[in-house]
Amino acid sequence: MIRKNQTLARVSLFRSLSKEEIAQLDARCVWRRAQEKECILNYKDDTADIYFVAYGDVRVSIQSVAGKDLMLRVIKEGEFFGELSALDGKPRSAAIHAITDTVIARMSPAIFREVIHRYPNVCDQVLETLTGEVRRLTTRVNEFTNLDVRGRIHAELLRLARSDSGGENRGVISPVPTHAEIAARVSTHREAVTRELNRLERAGLLERRRGAFVLLDLAELSASVEAAR
């Protein structure tokens, strides 16, 4: 399975490159497999390579002063991480752990810069990714500053939801994150998430299906977040 997945053709950043160009880059990467829950990078690690996820998912997290893990985001198959250190050479700003068995490619900063300068489309995508990350982090800071636990849980559910065929005002979350995972995303404890999900279900705002949460009134949840601000 590893050999089949050992190609940057699975990474959206390189979608504008030809098969020959991708094959050349494949050969210049170091490929490895990370097992579920394995630590791939530690916070403050002083390496500077960039990593591409060809198969599987990983999570980005930091640790609070109280020692609690705070999940910043999930990086899915076809995405990348480590670009900040690859560009500025400074220690890692977060830790990376595999959520599932994962196949990743490691590329040196020198090769990454070469690719950025050679392919304008890759450069544009990197800039868009960095801009999006700044916006996401700004939103998270705003939420942690201005929202209570309930508001942060609602905001995270809305962020995780995608459109549902049942209607424009409905959203579906699948696969279902564990209560502990949601808690890690919003810096609270699992019991608080369980209580709030149960309350939303009783209020008719959430429905549990096999393998999915369905948010039944996105407008109501959005309004509750805005009111809490």
Side-chain angles (χ1 to χ4, degrees):
M1 183 177 67
I2 296 180
R3 290 187 180 278
K4 182 180 69 174
N5 292 325
Q6 283 185 348
T7 175
L8 296 175
R10 303 175 67 90
V11 177
S12 60
L13 185 65
F14 303 110
R15 61 194 176 204
S16 63
L17 276 61
S18 68
K19 290 182 179 180
E20 292 76 16
E21 290 169 326
I22 288 176
Q24 291 172 8
L25 286 180
D26 287 344
R28 301 177 74 184
C29 290
V30 177
W31 293 85
R32 60 163 292 204
R33 179 173 182 168
Q35 296 183 338
E36 180 182 352
K37 298 183 179 180
E38 180 181 340
C39 180
I40 300 171
L41 282 176
N42 282 307
Y43 174 61
K44 293 293 186 182
D45 188 298
D46 60 2
T47 61
D49 295 329
I50 184 171
Y51 292 78
F52 302 95
V53 183
Y55 176 84
D57 299 328
V58 305
R59 63 180 172 87
V60 185
S61 62
I62 58 175
Q63 199 169 73
S64 69
V65 175
K68 182 186 298 182
D69 245 11
L70 172 60
M71 184 186 297
L72 296 179
R73 59 177 295 222
V74 172
I75 295 176
K76 297 183 176 295
E77 181 177 310
E79 298 179 343
F80 57 92
F81 60 89
E83 69 278 6
L84 296 183
S85 293
L87 291 171
D88 66 13
K90 294 182 179 180
R92 305 295 180 177
S93 57
I96 307 289
H97 290 80
I99 297 176
T100 63
D101 286 352
T102 306
V103 176
I104 52 177
R106 191 177 83 234
M107 180 184 288
S108 73
I111 296 174
F112 182 50
R113 285 180 175 274
E114 177 187 324
V115 171
I116 288 176
H117 291 303
R118 179 178 295 179
Y119 303 107
N121 182 267
V122 173
C123 181
D124 288 344
Q125 289 185 75
V126 170
L127 291 174
E128 289 174 9
T129 298
L130 294 175
T131 303
E133 187 63 19
V134 170
R135 292 186 183 278
R136 276 193 296 272
L137 291 175
T138 301
T139 298
R140 296 295 290 273
V141 170
N142 182 286
E143 290 173 0
F144 280 107
T145 302
N146 297 305
L147 297 181
D148 58 13
V149 170
R150 174 176 292 180
R152 297 202 303 271
I153 293 172
H154 291 184
E156 190 62 31
L157 292 175
L158 288 167
R159 194 160 29 241
L160 291 171
R162 63 177 188 272
S163 299
D164 179 48
S165 57
E168 291 184 1
N169 196 34
R170 293 159 60 105
V172 62
I173 301 173
S174 180
V176 176
T178 66
H179 294 189
E181 182 181 334
I182 297 174
R185 288 172 176 266
V186 301
S187 190
T188 188
H189 49 84
R190 179 178 56 80
E191 292 78 12
V193 173
T194 300
R195 284 197 300 271
E196 184 55 26
L197 293 178
N198 289 339
R199 192 194 70 81
L200 290 173
E201 191 171 19
R202 291 194 300 271
L205 295 174
L206 182 145
E207 178 183 302
R208 302 175 198 256
R209 295 179 185 169
R210 185 174 182 179
F213 286 161
V214 180
L215 305 182
L216 301 172
D217 194 335
L218 296 178
E220 177 66 22
L221 278 178
S222 297
S224 73
V225 171
E226 290 306 311
R229 293 186 194 276

